[in-house]
């Protein structure tokens, strides 16, 4: 997912006022009624957007953009149009809760569906004029916006009832989806009032609830998508069908950066069901009536690739180059005090090197996209994570006008960052294929699992060197962290916002903002050139920086002869939220207390995306030397927890996702070729390896922050520190499966 | 031409005999609840029941199930299915949901055979079903919950 967006700069856009004051809200009735129901729109003063400013004459009032989020149907159902993609993190449920709370709806009447792609109406308020999901920002950016949408809809329903019944609006109450007037003993469900509400003049101001009055926010309301997903009824992109649709499977270059020279499609065309074989900029596509024929056709292609421009190195060679670079100073990301002097005069100096492999996201639903291209229209259905980028790519490739291109967001079977592609890879391919057959038929491009594992867009490889000095009293007085690896955002539209002074924030996040009070601290970065496409992977920079920093802190605590929790706590006096989750997790885990025979503990604490997470891992080592993670106790501070059960689910899932990677996973190259291909050699965590997970949420009235990513970073170092406690071995090269722990 | 007995109905398919059952179900019969995840029987997203046995449809040729009864998520029913799906919803197991058809089919098969599974039984029956969202804590809890429901 997208990292570094905490500073709310992206795509060279200024950030809009994300939480404008409630009393400046103005509400309007719907711009468009849908069916016999009502779409209630909210007008937000959208200050700060460059697009908006460009459209406004100098000196004019800030332009307003109507935002339609709520639809009320005659059957009393309330549908929230969700501007973010639902791919498991619970955004359907979370954003709908915010609306339902202020609308005083009954939870049973709430529905959710994806909003159409529209950067003006549905932008991420943390990202400027871009619609997209990432950086665990959905709840954080939409918290006030969606509550206002609900409150505005409620106000119109109240006005409609007052008008219909001839009573003062101030005497009307709303509760659980029923609008009532006690004095005249009248009541009506929303559906009966919706049409009249659409005729009402919206109030200029509407108040939001006092949090003390919340009945849904902060409660475990059930997920809106559970039933459909439990019964096989949910529709993902792979399930989308259109009349006459063809399925395409593609051959892509065998090494990154190679190009197509020629191909022989005789055998491919001989496969029954194959209709077309076309060359597109991304490779060669075989189209057929159904996946199986398309896949067999693809496998039957004979292709000559020009690999002279392709990557030829293997992972070991790349890592050796990184290691050599680490002997040289990099670009400065942080420099406090005088680190080298402090190291020179330290009582004890420790140094450790860490190696991190490429990682694939491997979402359960393989990448896919459906496109219907006509002479003056292009419709795209996909699990779009950055709708604005996907829309732009479809527009450019189709050659149509922006208003002729529609991106329909569908549920996605996971992403973990993979669908947030700055070059819109799935959409670009699918539109290219549709164009190559002149839009003769709708096209669904499906990636095989092998295409996914070998297709790039990996969490980058990194080499890191940490050096630190302790004084005679065991205080940490110097810290130097050098990071070597590829930039995720270089050469993408996100570079302008996320690369500052040559530092890609996603390479150093979690390192340059290390919370510990260390008087002399420096972080520097070598950004490398490798012809392997890289991308944000659940928690982005923190996936490696949390590991190296929290594992190294554990080493330092031991060298200082201090308890790892006490050692951290002493350096967290200015970071009470870090300290609070560390305290909560260790208390709940019984830190320092007795353990069952054969078990060991390790701890880590890390902030990402403004959420604070501490985890205590309890492990054992099997007779065959395997690490068995028995239990993880997790404490999280994500501000106000809109839905505590969803927060817990995201911590559980984040822990499992991170654990699978640190235990087993690496994408490795040999001569530029990816060595893994499917789930037998890129090994996912399975149920028999899933630890017991206990999640504790810090009670908070702070603004809510995200939970999709922050559960992932701490589990690796917590396990590594537990492995040390069990075996005396420091694991500094991932995955852990590389290390033989038998007899350790 | 292949004849399939699927969800209680006999269907004629115009598919090559070696076509994987998964793609016959999805592309020929238009039932999309059964999912494609790996194509190598490594992830379980494509799990269906063949004569009640949980089977990876992505590596099962349609000709091999002629004469057998195939059940997909769309039609799975009975006491165990009802308990599993109710427990899944009660505990909000799902996240992205893509693997859950397969998880449910494996869990139903487990509970149909073993109404009081231990954690070890659950590991053995469910470790072929991958969930990249790692909803495993809740899958385990929901299977125990479903087992409890089936007692009554």
């Amino acid at each position: 997912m997208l990292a570094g967006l905490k500073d709310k700069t992206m795509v060279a856009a200024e950030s809009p006022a994300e939480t404008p004051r409630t009393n400046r809200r103005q509400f309007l009735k719907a711009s468009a009624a849908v069916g016999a129901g009502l779409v209630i729109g909210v007008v937000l003063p959208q200050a700060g957007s460059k697009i908006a400013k460009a459209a406004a004459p100098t000196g004019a009032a800030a332009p307003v953009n109507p935002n339609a989020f709520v639809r009320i149907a005659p059957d009393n159902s309330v549908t929230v149009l969700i501007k973010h993609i639902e791919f498991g993190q619970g955004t359907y449920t979370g954003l709908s809760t915010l609306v339902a709370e202020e609308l005083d709806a009954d939870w049973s009447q709430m529905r959710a569906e994806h909003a159409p792609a529209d950067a003006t109406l549905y932008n991420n308020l943390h990202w400027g004029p871009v619609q997209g999901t990432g950086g665990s920002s959905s709840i954080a950016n939409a918290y006030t916006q969606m509550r206002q949408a609900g409150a505005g809809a409620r106000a119109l329903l109240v006005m409609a009832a007052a008008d219909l019944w001839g009573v003062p609006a101030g005497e009307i109450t709303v509760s659980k989806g029923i609008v009532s007037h006690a004095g005249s003993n009248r009541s009506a469900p929303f559906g009966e009032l919706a049409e009249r509400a659409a005729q009402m003049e919206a109030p200029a101001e509407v108040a939001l609830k006092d949090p003390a009055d919340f009945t849904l926010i902060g409660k475990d309301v059930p997920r809106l998508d559970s039933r459909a997903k439990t019964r096989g009824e949910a529709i993902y992109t792979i399930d989308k069908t259109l009349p006459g649709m063809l399925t395409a499977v593609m051959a892509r270059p065998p090494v990154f950066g190679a190009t197509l020279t020629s191909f022989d499609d005789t055998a491919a065309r001989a496969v029954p069901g194959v209709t077309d074989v076309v060359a597109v900029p991304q490779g060669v596509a075989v189209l057929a009536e159904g996946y199986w024929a398309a896949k067999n056709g693809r496998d039957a292609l004979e292709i000559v690739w020009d690999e002279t421009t392709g990557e030829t190195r293997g992972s070991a060679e790349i890592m050796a180059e990184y290691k050599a670079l680490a002997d040289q100073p990099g670009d400065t990301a942080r420099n406090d005090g005088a680190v080298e002097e402090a190291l020179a005069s330290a009582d004890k100096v420790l140094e450790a090197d860490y190696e991190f492999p490429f990682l694939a996201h491997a979402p359960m639903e393989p990448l896919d996209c459906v496109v219907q291209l006509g002479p003056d229209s292009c419709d795209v259905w996909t699990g779009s994570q950055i709708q604005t980028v996907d829309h732009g790519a479809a527009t450019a490739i189709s050659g149509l006008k922006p208003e002729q291109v529609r991106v329909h967001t569908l549920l996605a079977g996971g992403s973990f960052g993979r669908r947030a592609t700055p070059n819109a890879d799935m959409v670009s391919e699918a539109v290219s294929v549709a164009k190559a057959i002149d839009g003769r038929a709708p096209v669904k491009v499906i990636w095989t699992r092998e295409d996914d594992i070998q297709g790039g867009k990996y969490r980058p490889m990194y080499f890191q060197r940490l050096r630190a000095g302790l004084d005679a009293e065991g205080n940490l007085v110097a810290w130097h962290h050098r990071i070597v690896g590829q930039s995720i955002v270089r050469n993408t539209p996100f570079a302008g916002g996320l690369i500052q002074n040559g530092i890609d924030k996603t390479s150093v996040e979690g390192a340059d903002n290390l919370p510990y009070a260390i008087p002399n601290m420096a972080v520097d970065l070598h950004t490398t050139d490798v012809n392997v496409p890289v991308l944000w992977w659940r928690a982005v920079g923190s996936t490696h920086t949390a590991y190296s920093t929290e594992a190294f802190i554990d080493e330092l605590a031991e060298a200082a002869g201090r308890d790892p929790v006490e050692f951290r706590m002493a350096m967290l006096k200015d970071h009470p939220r870090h300290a609070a989750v560390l305290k909560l997790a260790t208390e709940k885990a019984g830190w320092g207390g007795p353990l069952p025979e054969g078990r060991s503990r390790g701890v880590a604490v890390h902030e990402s995306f403004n959420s604070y997470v501490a985890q205590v891992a309890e492990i054992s080592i099997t007779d065959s030397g395997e690490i068995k993670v028995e239990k993880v106790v997790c404490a999280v501070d994500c501000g106000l927890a809109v839905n505590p059960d969803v927060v817990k689910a995201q911590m559980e899932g984040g822990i499992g996702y991170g654990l699978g990677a640190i235990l087993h996973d690496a994408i490795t190259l040999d001569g530029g070729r990816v060595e893994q291909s499917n789930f037998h050699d890129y090994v996912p965590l399975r149920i028999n390896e899933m630890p017991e997970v206990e999640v504790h949420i810090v009670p908070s009235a702070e603004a809510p922050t995200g939970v999709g990513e922050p559960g992932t970073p701490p589990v690796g170092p917590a396990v590594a520190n537990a492995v040390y406690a069990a075996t005396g071995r420091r694991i500094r090269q991932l995955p852990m499966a590389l290390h033989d722990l038998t007899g350790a | 031409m292949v004849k399939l007995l699927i969800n209680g109905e006999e269907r004629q398919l115009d598919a090559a005999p070696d076509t994987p059952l998964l793609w016959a179900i999805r592309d020929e019969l238009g039932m999309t609840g059964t999912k494609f995840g790996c194509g190598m029987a490594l992830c379980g997203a494509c799990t269906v029941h063949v004569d009640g046995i949980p089977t990876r449809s992505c590596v099962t040729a349609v000709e091999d199930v002629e004469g057998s009864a195939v059940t997909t998520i769309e039609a799975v029913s009975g006491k165990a299915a009802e308990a599993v799906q109710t427990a899944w919803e009660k505990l909000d197991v799902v996240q992205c949901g893509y693997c859950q058809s397969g998880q449910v089919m494996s869990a139903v098969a487990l509970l149909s055979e073993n109404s009081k599974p231990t954690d070890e039984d659950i590991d053995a029956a469910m470790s072929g079903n991958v969930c990249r969202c790692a909803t495993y804590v809740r899958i385990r809890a929901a299977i125990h919950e479903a087992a409890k429901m089936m007692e009554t």
Side-chain angles (χ1 to χ4, degrees), chain A residues 351-373:
Chain A
E351 180 173 322
D353 291 347
Y354 295 85
E355 296 181 18
F356 300 92
F358 289 118
L359 291 174
H361 307 74
M364 284 306 299
E365 180 187 14
L367 303 179
D368 43 16
C369 181
V370 174
V371 170
Q372 185 162 35
L373 184 63

Side-chain angles (χ1 to χ4, degrees), chain A residues 151-168:
Chain A
R154 182 188 187 279
L156 288 176
L157 291 166
V158 167
M159 290 165 69
D163 184 56
L164 181 67
W165 299 333
V167 300

Side-chain angles (χ1 to χ4, degrees), chain A residues 87-88 223 226 229-231 236 238-239 290-292 361-362 414 449 645 649-650 652-653 678 685-687, chain B residues 20 23 26-27 32-33 35-38 40 42 85 89 92 95-98 127 130 132-133 136 138 140:
Chain A
F87 45 27
R223 287 183 69 116
S226 262
K229 289 178 174 177
T230 299
R231 288 159 199 274
Y236 303 82
I238 202 168
D239 305 324
Y291 170 87
W292 190 240
H361 307 74
R449 178 58 58 196
D645 192 54
Q650 286 308 298
E652 292 161 7
N678 205 316
L685 192 86
R686 294 176 185 272
I687 193 169
Chain B
W23 296 106
R26 290 185 56 86
D27 284 350
T32 57
K35 301 301 193 211
F36 166 57
C38 69
M40 289 177 68
L42 297 167
Q85 289 177 318
E89 289 170 28
D92 269 350
Q95 290 186 28
C96 90
Y98 190 81
S127 60
V130 172
R132 290 292 287 160
C133 302
Y136 301 124
R138 291 172 191 232
R140 184 184 303 284

Side-chain angles (χ1 to χ4, degrees), chain A residues 110-166:
Chain A
M110 299 306 293
R111 311 282 183 268
E113 64 182 53
H114 285 122
D118 187 328
T120 309
L121 297 177
Y122 299 118
N123 61 316
N124 184 324
L125 300 183
H126 286 184
W127 294 8
V130 175
Q131 185 182 2
T133 302
S136 296
S137 64
S138 300
I139 285 280
N141 93 91
Y143 179 64
T144 302
Q145 182 185 36
M146 298 310 292
R147 288 175 62 200
Q148 286 163 345
R154 182 188 187 279
L156 288 176
L157 291 166
V158 167
M159 290 165 69
D163 184 56
L164 181 67
W165 299 333

Side-chain angles (χ1 to χ4, degrees), chain A residues 149-374:
Chain A
R154 182 188 187 279
L156 288 176
L157 291 166
V158 167
M159 290 165 69
D163 184 56
L164 181 67
W165 299 333
V167 300
E171 293 178 5
I172 288 173
T173 58
V174 186
S175 176
K176 291 183 183 296
I178 304 293
V179 183
S180 306
H181 182 248
S184 61
N185 199 26
R186 273 188 271 214
S187 67
F190 292 169
E192 283 181 20
L193 298 167
E195 259 194 277
R196 184 174 291 262
Q199 312 304 318
M200 293 290 124
E201 190 68 29
E205 294 178 11
V206 67
L208 297 182
K209 281 185 183 174
D210 182 326
D213 297 329
F214 286 164
T215 59
L216 295 171
I217 292 175
K219 305 292 188 299
D220 291 337
V221 300
R223 287 183 69 116
L224 292 176
D225 51 355
S226 262
R227 185 180 169 84
K229 289 178 174 177
T230 299
R231 288 159 199 274
E233 294 163 3
I235 298 297
Y236 303 82
T237 301
I238 202 168
D239 305 324
K240 176 75 186 170
T241 53
L242 293 164
M245 187 179 76
L246 298 173
T247 300
V249 176
M250 293 195 42
R252 299 177 186 81
V255 299
F256 300 111
T259 54
L260 178 67
T261 300
S262 64
F263 64 96
D264 178 348
D265 60 7
T266 313
R269 287 183 183 275
V271 173
V274 169
T275 60
D276 304 82
V277 180
V278 293
V280 291
Q282 299 84 358
V284 182
V286 176
L287 291 86
E289 293 155 357
Y291 170 87
W292 190 240
K295 195 247 179 200
N296 285 334
R298 190 278 304 265
D299 292 349
L301 284 171
E302 289 180 31
I303 303 181
V304 179
W305 301 98
D306 178 358
E307 299 186 18
T308 53
T309 54
E311 181 58 59
T312 58
R313 288 172 287 181
S315 291
E317 295 158 85
I318 294 169
M319 195 58 88
E321 289 176 23
Y322 284 12
K323 197 170 181 176
L325 268 177
D327 292 334
Q328 308 296 326
D331 296 326
T332 301
R334 177 171 177 174
N335 194 4
D336 300 346
V339 173
E340 294 305 332
E341 288 84 341
L343 283 170
S345 63
D347 188 62
K348 208 182 267 183
V349 174
L350 271 68
E351 180 173 322
D353 291 347
Y354 295 85
E355 296 181 18
F356 300 92
F358 289 118
L359 291 174
H361 307 74
M364 284 306 299
E365 180 187 14
L367 303 179
D368 43 16
C369 181
V370 174
V371 170
Q372 185 162 35
L373 184 63

Side-chain angles (χ1 to χ4, degrees), chain A residues 682-733:
Chain A
Y682 192 79
V683 178
L685 192 86
R686 294 176 185 272
I687 193 169
N688 56 305
E689 298 176 304
M690 184 73 194
E692 181 190 341
V693 177
E694 198 179 290
V695 180
H696 302 277
I697 300 171
V698 175
S700 174
E702 298 284 333
T705 50
V707 292
E709 294 165 277
T712 296
V715 71
V719 169
N721 297 337
V723 168
Y724 176 75
T727 66
R729 298 271 301 274
R730 294 285 182 189
I731 295 185
R732 302 192 188 103
Q733 181 192 27

